[in-house]
Amino acid sequence: MNTATRLATYAAALAVVAGIGATIGSAVGPLRTTPAAAESHSAGAHSHGSSSAVTQLPGGLASHSSGYTFEPVAAAPGTFAFRILGPNGAPHTAFDIEHDKLMHLIVVRRDTTGFQHVHPQMAPDGTWTVPLTLPAGGSYRAFADFVPAGRLGLTLGVDLAVPGDFQPVTHQPSRVSEVDGYQVSLDGTLTPGRVSPLTVTVRKDGRAVTDLQPYLAAYGHLVALREGDLAYLHVHPDGAPGDGHTLPGPSIRFDTEVPTTGSYRLFLDFSHGGAVHTATFTVSTTETEGGTR
Ligand SMILES: [Cu+2]
């Protein structure tokens, strides 16, 4: 498909997405990354010395990377559908499980409100579908976080536009989140280019929660987005349920690495009382711990 055809297809497909008359936004073009650098989990990934200068970007900034393409397709109202095209241009169907799932889809409005984390199902032809409603006007970013079988993990992103009034929300630094009757606090500092331990602590009605339920093979799942461009950052829980030393709360530890100075929005999914809750934080690399508490 040439670019014009492809964009026309996107527009036609997205007009159907969730019945919202969406059109494609500014999905950026191919960007140069190396598979090893693009999604490396190692703190030293930035120091691979080489004469070939390669732009190393965090995940989620491109719809195409390392040979794979995130392509929305037409879907019934209230449903989002897409394919991941492989290096040969055909829909890719072989994926490895990561955090209990073959595919993680994160959708958030570009002002980082309305965060959703869902798990699409794949048909044999490689088409993924998931119920999805985008409730308010604005430009949204959809992230597909997956691992092609036998390869390194990737996060690809596309924009979804929803017509309607848009009132952007700004976020002040915040290390305490109130959600569904829970009080969730965040400790730790973000240091650019270094793995920084972050600890979240979950309380309900002021009492420590010590019976968190496993969710996505952990007691919590943390997504970090850089404010300004929504770079998507991998965050790894430290310890897993059943490993003999990780307790089911009240604290959950994460190893977080942010690439640059700036402000980051953090979204913590945790499971308790049979439901998944999402706590939200806003942390700047320049603030010192305790400065805003
Ligand atoms: Cu997920």
Side-chain angles (χ1 to χ4, degrees):
M1 244 189 294
N2 65 35
T3 301
T5 308
R6 176 160 294 176
L7 288 175
T9 305
Y10 277 173
L14 288 167
V16 185
V17 169
I20 50 175
T23 54
I24 193 70
S26 59
V28 296
L31 292 166
R32 243 176 199 296
T33 55
T34 62
E39 297 290 328
S40 175
H41 298 161
S42 127
H46 303 285
S47 58
H48 290 303
S50 163
S51 56
S52 62
V54 177
T55 305
Q56 298 176 350
L57 290 172
L61 294 174
S63 61
H64 175 100
S65 181
S66 303
Y68 294 85
T69 302
F70 180 10
E71 185 177 75
V73 297
T79 301
F80 180 62
F82 62 95
R83 298 189 187 103
I84 301 298
L85 304 182
N88 62 0
H92 199 72
T93 57
F95 297 87
D96 286 340
I97 289 176
E98 176 192 35
H99 298 305
D100 258 5
K101 300 288 179 182
L102 289 172
M103 177 66 64
H104 302 265
L105 184 78
I106 308 293
V107 182
V108 68
R109 203 167 64 175
R110 276 202 163 273
D111 63 352
T112 67
T113 59
F115 178 90
Q116 298 186 60
H117 176 176
V118 294
H119 300 108
Q121 298 289 320
M122 189 183 71
D125 72 350
T127 301
W128 296 87
T129 56
V130 66
L132 185 71
T133 301
L134 304 178
S139 181
Y140 289 72
R141 191 69 169 169
F143 302 94
D145 180 343
F146 60 93
V147 182
R151 302 282 304 268
L152 291 169
L154 277 180
T155 303
L156 304 178
V158 296
D159 278 357
L160 309 173
V162 179
D165 283 345
F166 172 51
Q167 300 294 331
V169 177
T170 56
H171 308 280
Q172 298 305 313
S174 169
R175 287 173 167 268
V176 178
S177 180
E178 292 269 353
V179 57
D180 305 334
Y182 296 85
Q183 303 84 43
V184 188
S185 57
L186 176 82
D187 293 287
T189 54
L190 293 175
T191 305
R194 272 210 209 135
V195 175
S196 311
L198 293 181
T199 302
V200 295
T201 303
V202 183
R203 294 184 181 83
K204 190 170 193 344
D205 303 324
R207 249 181 258 162
V209 172
T210 56
D211 57 347
L212 290 173
Q213 293 156 341
Y215 175 63
L216 303 174
Y219 287 119
H221 191 84
L222 189 66
V223 166
L225 300 176
R226 182 168 62 188
E227 285 195 331
D229 66 1
L230 303 189
Y232 179 100
L233 307 167
H234 284 257
V235 184
H236 299 274
D238 178 22
D243 66 4
H245 62 264
T246 300
L247 297 173
S251 295
I252 315 165
R253 285 190 36 149
F254 294 91
D255 289 330
T256 312
E257 184 182 351
V258 299
T260 60
T261 57
S263 179
Y264 292 83
R265 291 275 286 163
L266 306 175
F267 302 90
L268 169 77
D269 291 327
F270 66 96
S271 179
H272 188 252
V276 175
H277 315 279
T278 303
T280 306
F281 310 96
T282 307
V283 179
S284 167
T285 54
T286 54
E287 72 177 287
T288 55
E289 183 174 3
T292 59
R293 307 187 69 207

